[in-house]
Amino acid sequence: MTTIREWQVGQSLPEVTLPPVSRLDLIKYAGASGDYNPIHTIDEEAKKAGLPGIIAHGMWTMGNLVKLFTPYYEEGFVQDYFVRFQSMVFLNDVVTLTATVKEKDEKTIRFAVAAVNQHGKDVVKGELVFALYE
Amino acid sequence: MYQGEIGKRSKKIKNVVERGAVKKFAEAIGDPNPIYWDEETGKRSRYGRNIAPPTFPRVFDYGVIEGLKLPAKGLIHGEQRFHYERPLFVGEELYCYAEVKDYYEKQSSMGQLGFLVIANNGEDAEGNLVFTSTSTIIINEAVRKAMSV
């Protein structure tokens, strides 16, 4: 496997496209995270809140996005991870996870990260600093 | 509206990075990597044990900030930031608390929006900071008016 240290500025980690968002995905995340806000799981509640339908937890998308880095934990760890929730994720949306090297020094690699929907729109966008071990 | 709450903190609550909870959380974000749940993989890793995914602190109990009243509905999670000194270890105990870091308002096309910044912190038994999870919550005008604050 290639090591994360070898990545150069401008290079991207392998993208991951998630299966279409299902209600079960969000029910599972609600249970695992303890976030039972019903706009994420129950249609009527989402409609009452003025939404066209249930939406994914922002933290579900954020949690998915950072898994691009899981294969590299022998080399370092996620020191800083920031995102802005730009747009909502609806049922059946197809989300693609991306990370591109922005800056690099001896100790850290800074990535631009994003989750993009099937219309090419950023739903989650931010930055991640991966700290390298000696 | 929340300016007076800035600096308020909850009391620290002891949390355990529970093995089963970590596995369930990793499954829920579709990250099946065995570093999170397989003991052998954990032992062979540089950490000598299993670790938890970076967004796992969502599950911890940070206690209650006395006097801070949030609307039950209509909050929007605008931004989220995690800072780590090191990864979280499965099985470790962390002392977690919440703090109101900031509150400000901004005019937008949707009216006057409130931005509440809450930091959720986790420390080890010696009081060393392990992580900070900072959320920016957006509160819209309609919700603020309904609360009449």
Side-chain angles (χ1 to χ4, degrees):
Chain A
M1 195 177 75
T2 55
T3 70
I4 205 164
R5 281 173 202 274
E6 291 167 8
W7 295 89
Q8 299 302 320
V9 173
Q11 263 191 304
S12 300
L13 294 181
E15 281 184 6
V16 170
T17 297
L18 303 177
V21 177
S22 73
R23 188 182 304 267
L24 198 54
D25 289 337
L26 305 182
I27 291 172
K28 271 164 84 176
Y29 186 79
S33 69
D35 182 349
Y36 292 107
N37 185 332
I39 63 166
H40 302 302
T41 47
I42 301 171
D43 297 320
E44 295 74 25
E45 293 292 332
K47 293 204 170 106
K48 265 195 241 166
L51 299 166
I54 60 168
I55 56 168
H57 307 74
M59 292 296 291
W60 176 82
T61 311
M62 188 182 192
N64 268 278
L65 180 52
V66 72
K67 70 191 181 189
L68 294 178
F69 296 87
T70 312
Y72 307 105
Y73 284 147
E74 283 299 303
E75 291 178 74
F77 69 101
V78 175
Q79 180 179 281
D80 290 282
Y81 180 27
F82 166 78
V83 302
R84 187 163 288 149
F85 301 106
Q86 309 253 105
S87 187
M88 290 182 274
V89 174
F90 296 99
L91 279 189
N92 301 314
D93 275 1
V94 176
V95 174
T96 298
L97 313 171
T98 70
T100 305
V101 180
K102 273 174 76 181
E103 283 171 30
K104 203 180 164 186
D105 61 33
E106 296 285 286
K107 289 178 180 163
T108 56
I109 310 176
R110 186 179 295 271
F111 289 85
V113 293
V116 185
N117 72 10
Q118 68 274 23
H119 308 298
K121 192 174 171 121
D122 291 334
V123 290
V124 161
K125 194 177 185 179
E127 221 177 56
L128 185 146
V129 176
F130 195 84
L132 299 166
Y133 296 120
E134 295 287 310
Chain B
M1 152 186 195
Y2 287 111
Q3 279 88 355
E5 316 292 324
I6 296 169
K8 282 192 182 171
R9 289 181 173 200
S10 62
K11 288 202 181 92
K12 289 178 192 172
I13 306 260
K14 184 165 93 172
N15 284 264
V16 179
V17 183
E18 289 171 12
R19 176 168 292 282
V22 168
K23 188 175 183 190
K24 223 175 165 180
F25 189 88
E27 283 169 3
I29 55 169
D31 195 351
N33 195 296
I35 187 67
Y36 298 130
W37 54 269
D38 180 63
E39 289 191 59
E40 274 310 308
T41 303
K43 273 181 199 151
R44 283 199 312 269
S45 77
R46 69 174 299 131
Y47 305 101
R49 60 195 119 173
N50 296 113
I51 61 174
T55 63
F56 185 74
R58 183 72 186 79
V59 311
F60 296 141
D61 181 356
Y62 297 92
V64 176
I65 299 173
E66 266 184 56
L68 180 69
K69 287 196 189 89
L70 288 178
K73 285 181 182 174
L75 298 178
I76 299 163
H77 194 178
E79 294 177 1
Q80 177 66 35
R81 181 184 298 277
F82 288 94
H83 172 76
Y84 279 94
E85 298 296 325
R86 60 159 172 84
L88 302 180
F89 302 133
V90 168
E92 74 173 324
E93 291 178 348
L94 293 169
Y95 295 81
C96 300
Y97 65 97
E99 182 180 2
V100 181
K101 292 301 276 189
D102 202 2
Y103 178 75
Y104 52 92
E105 292 180 359
K106 270 193 219 167
Q107 193 61 38
S108 82
S109 54
M110 292 145 69
Q112 183 87 351
L113 299 178
F115 293 80
L116 181 65
V117 183
I118 306 238
N120 288 326
N121 303 295
E123 297 177 349
D124 65 15
E126 284 77 46
N128 302 305
L129 185 72
V130 178
F131 75 86
T132 300
S133 160
T134 308
S135 307
T136 302
I137 310 294
I138 304 171
I139 306 164
N140 70 33
E141 198 163 296
V143 170
R144 288 215 323 279
K145 280 185 178 150
M147 288 180 75
S148 64
V149 278

